[in-house]
Amino acid sequence: MNNPAARRTSHGRATHGVTRVATMAVALVSAVSLASCTVGQVPPPQPATTTAPAASEAATFTFGTAAHPRTLDPALANDTESYRVSQQILQGLVGVDPLTSEPTPLLAESWDENDDGRSYEFTLRDDVVFHDGEPFDAAAVCANFDRWYTLPESARAGTSRLPFENVFKGYSDTPEVSLYEGCTATSAHTVDLQLTSRITGLVPALAAPAFAMSSPAALEAGAADELTGTRDGAGISRYGQAPVGTGPFRLVSWEEGDVELAFFDGYWGERGEVDRVVFTTIASPDSRARALASGRIDGYDFVSVDSAVDLARNGLQFLQRDPYSVLYLGMNQGFPGVDDPLFREAVAHAIDKSALIDGRFLNGTKPARQFIPEKLGVSNESVTAYSYDVDLAKDLLERSGYDGRELPFYYPRNVSRAYLPSPEKAYAELSRQLTEAGFNIKPVPVEWSEGYVETVQQSGDRAFHLLGWSGSYQDPDNFVGALFGMYSEEFAYEDPQLFSKINRARGLPAGEDRTAAYADISAQISDRIPAVPLAFPISALAMSPRVTTYPVSPVMNEVFNRIDLADVEPRPAPSG
């Protein structure tokens, strides 16, 4: 079947003009109203000139990140800060429309769906090279797909489920469950990707940063699948410290706390105004706000309510994203008593989501009844609504046979996420609410940089944990499939009927039947409560006055050659 949307041979660039926010301090005390964004179109990418800019034209953009990247190899990443850096360096076949977040051509100029969704033919750009000078072609695409499919278990160990498994369900060591069948270079610049069955969300999924293309030569030279070192306790290969892609920026250095990138003069697309990018890690949102106000950085992400008050007083700038992440309270059914449905129902009735949100999340954050954001159009009418009712929670808890034992509650420290700008404050409120209902909570704070995600996604002694999920592409499977599509140690939740429903919905053609299937899946998750969805948070960035344009994206597809700076003269469009 031909895909008309995929037949566009260029993609537009939408940019969000950054508007100063002033005289907002009073309104921001309990929640922050963010400046609206204006959207404009600029010309599509053109081949870049290879002439280096004069020294006087050099422009540096410094971004304050909330945590260190764990690896710069996106295939082995599962964290926002790794992707934030890697997507400046590497690109995938499919991009993201900046206005709608729908898939759009990138390294692939077009694609066709064949054989009832079991085959896709991609036509590639023929003017692209990797940063090491190697050509980007069909052979390189297949080398990347085959690398992902054959990732050894040793490379996957110690991490949560990787995006390849979320989308394709398995690797070469589990061919009976994997939906990936093969990749064939049918010409120098055409690729045939074969599946064992339809994946309706495949093309949107390929826009996720995990499916970016690496230079096969660099993968081999960097022993990409051999984890020879560590960063922040995570295994990392030589390639994971020095990736080579086709993106607008190449890696210059990665030192503790700082990553430096420089514009790649052989880039096929638009050059933009930024020549140098520096990512510097500042874990505290208050410290990031001070760094922005002092001019040390040009922008940062995950603005907290408390920081936003001072930023607004100083007339600094805000950009908000549409909500596309979900915060949840995870429950480990491997812990004694948590496997009782009455216990989990008691938890659901003990939580006052509105009180949790008030004063801790930005204005516009909504309580969540299901794990699928409103943006995806899946109705929550059939989802059980667990009203806040302390007396009912106490009754259910007593009926469950809970004996008052301590319930370890894990939560992260010193980090900000799109779904959780201030984890310590969120934990404190949830702990208060659960304690009021009769739960004996034992706090277990874990430093984010010491492997918090890996800790709560493995078997252990926890009863509860605080975590969330940020969507990276537009499909319901990106949420319920990734979280509940198969058994995981995070929830110790075994539900073959649910797993089967998710597998079936994944392959249904887009339309009413597929939407209804995901509504039914949401209802079943709500009834059985493997976790409690808490909120769909608004996340926001803060920018200095010199930033006049920033490419805000709900799925964080924010590549910095699309930034405009007030103190840099726009470059003329290259010829040719």
Side-chain angles (χ1 to χ4, degrees):
M1 182 180 71
N2 184 266
N3 181 347
R7 282 296 170 192
R8 295 186 300 174
T9 58
S10 65
H11 56 285
R13 169 188 168 196
T15 55
H16 291 242
V18 184
T19 308
R20 283 199 182 189
V21 179
T23 65
M24 295 173 59
V26 175
L28 290 169
V29 171
S30 62
V32 179
S33 295
L34 301 174
S36 62
C37 304
T38 59
V39 179
Q41 293 289 338
V42 297
Q46 300 293 328
T49 177
T50 58
T51 303
S56 61
E57 296 177 338
T60 298
F61 179 77
T62 302
F63 192 92
T65 62
H68 303 312
R70 306 300 298 277
T71 175
L72 299 185
D73 178 358
L76 299 182
N78 55 22
D79 66 292
T80 298
E81 302 302 354
S82 292
Y83 290 145
R84 193 192 303 278
V85 178
S86 70
Q87 68 185 353
Q88 315 297 329
I89 302 169
L90 302 100
Q91 299 172 306
L93 298 178
V94 181
V96 176
D97 187 288
L99 295 177
T100 66
S101 296
E102 293 292 329
T104 189
L106 192 58
L107 293 181
E109 292 184 316
S110 62
W111 50 83
D112 290 307
E113 179 184 332
N114 302 305
D115 193 20
D116 292 327
R118 290 189 291 270
S119 173
Y120 283 82
E121 182 180 68
F122 292 90
T123 300
L124 311 179
R125 297 187 65 96
D126 61 5
D127 57 350
V128 180
V129 295
F130 288 102
H131 298 165
D132 58 4
E134 292 291 317
F136 168 74
D137 56 16
V141 172
C142 287
N144 276 269
F145 272 98
D146 290 343
R147 179 235 172 171
W148 301 330
Y149 178 57
T150 60
L151 271 177
E153 188 172 357
S154 58
R156 302 170 346 228
T159 65
S160 58
R161 202 147 44 103
L162 294 172
F164 183 88
E165 186 176 5
N166 285 337
V167 175
F168 293 94
K169 311 324 299 174
Y171 299 93
S172 58
D173 54 3
T174 54
E176 67 280 2
V177 300
S178 180
L179 302 180
Y180 176 83
E181 188 168 83
C183 178
T184 303
T186 53
S187 75
H189 291 97
T190 56
V191 168
D192 184 42
L193 185 66
Q194 302 103 41
L195 310 173
T196 60
S197 63
R198 177 194 293 271
I199 307 174
T200 301
L202 175 67
V203 170
L206 293 181
F211 295 103
M213 295 287 142
S214 293
S215 163
L219 287 170
E220 182 176 358
D225 302 334
E226 298 175 16
L227 306 185
T228 57
T230 61
R231 276 191 186 263
D232 289 341
I236 189 171
S237 67
R238 293 198 309 276
Y239 180 77
Q241 301 176 72
V244 178
T246 64
F249 299 97
R250 58 179 176 82
L251 180 68
V252 174
S253 64
W254 182 12
E255 306 296 337
E256 185 66 28
D258 288 289
V259 181
E260 181 179 346
L261 312 179
F263 184 80
F264 173 54
D265 287 327
Y267 180 52
W268 62 270
E270 62 182 309
R271 178 175 188 109
E273 296 181 2
V274 175
D275 294 308
R276 178 174 174 263
V277 175
V278 176
F279 294 96
T280 185
T281 302
I282 307 173
S284 163
D286 292 339
S287 297
R288 292 197 299 277
R290 288 192 293 271
L292 181 65
S294 70
R296 178 186 166 198
I297 61 176
D298 298 304
Y300 74 89
D301 205 351
F302 311 138
V303 175
S304 70
V305 171
D306 293 340
S307 298
V309 173
D310 288 336
L311 290 169
R313 287 174 180 150
N314 290 325
L316 290 163
Q317 311 175 76
F318 296 87
L319 288 174
Q320 76 174 44
R321 300 185 185 92
D322 292 336
Y324 203 60
S325 62
V326 60
L327 171 68
Y328 61 81
L329 176 68
M331 292 183 279
N332 173 24
Q333 294 188 36
F335 190 88
V338 181
D339 60 339
D340 190 308
L342 293 175
F343 178 97
R344 301 196 303 278
E345 188 177 349
V347 172
H349 282 292
I351 296 174
D352 183 346
K353 297 176 185 179
S354 295
L356 171 66
I357 291 168
D358 186 32
R360 297 174 185 84
F361 293 83
L362 297 177
N363 190 38
T365 296
K366 295 181 179 180
R369 287 178 56 183
Q370 63 176 348
F371 286 85
I372 300 175
E374 291 180 358
K375 184 179 179 70
L376 294 173
V378 176
S379 170
N380 66 6
E381 291 181 1
S382 59
V383 170
T384 303
Y386 294 95
S387 60
Y388 172 56
D389 189 329
V390 175
D391 291 336
L392 177 57
K394 289 179 177 178
D395 178 62
L396 290 165
L397 191 59
E398 182 179 358
R399 287 163 53 197
S400 76
Y402 172 61
D403 58 6
R405 73 174 62 197
E406 283 189 330
L407 300 167
F409 189 154
Y410 283 55
Y411 63 96
R413 296 185 66 243
N414 292 321
V415 73
S416 300
R417 301 286 86 191
Y419 50 78
L420 189 56
S422 301
E424 295 89 347
K425 292 182 178 181
Y427 162 77
E429 176 61 18
L430 285 169
S431 176
R432 183 195 67 77
Q433 293 179 11
L434 291 169
T435 299
E436 183 181 5
F439 297 88
N440 182 11
I441 300 297
K442 175 185 177 183
V444 184
V446 178
E447 292 291 325
W448 182 268
S449 62
E450 294 178 1
Y452 176 79
V453 173
E454 289 78 11
T455 298
V456 301
Q457 291 185 337
Q458 297 173 3
S459 60
D461 67 343
R462 71 189 178 281
F464 304 121
H465 64 277
L466 198 55
L467 200 58
W469 182 263
S470 293
S472 55
Y473 62 93
Q474 289 204 131
D475 192 90
D477 191 61
N478 188 212
F479 287 85
V480 295
L483 290 170
F484 306 112
M486 62 179 68
Y487 176 85
S488 71
E489 294 290 353
E490 178 179 0
F491 308 113
Y493 172 57
E494 187 69 60
D495 191 343
Q497 184 188 48
L498 177 67
F499 304 158
S500 177
K501 285 183 177 181
I502 291 174
N503 280 327
R504 176 180 175 273
R506 181 181 293 115
L508 289 174
E512 293 181 2
D513 288 348
R514 190 170 192 261
T515 301
Y518 278 106
D520 178 58
I521 288 165
S522 274
Q524 182 160 330
I525 293 170
S526 178
D527 286 343
R528 301 186 182 180
I529 327 177
V532 178
L534 300 173
F536 293 122
I538 291 285
S539 68
L541 306 108
M543 295 289 151
S544 75
R546 73 185 292 252
V547 180
T548 59
T549 298
Y550 183 92
V552 179
S553 166
V555 295
M556 295 189 181
N557 183 258
E558 298 167 355
V559 184
F560 291 171
N561 65 320
R562 296 177 179 173
I563 289 174
D564 291 333
L565 302 172
D567 52 5
V568 176
E569 289 295 323
R571 295 185 177 88
S575 59

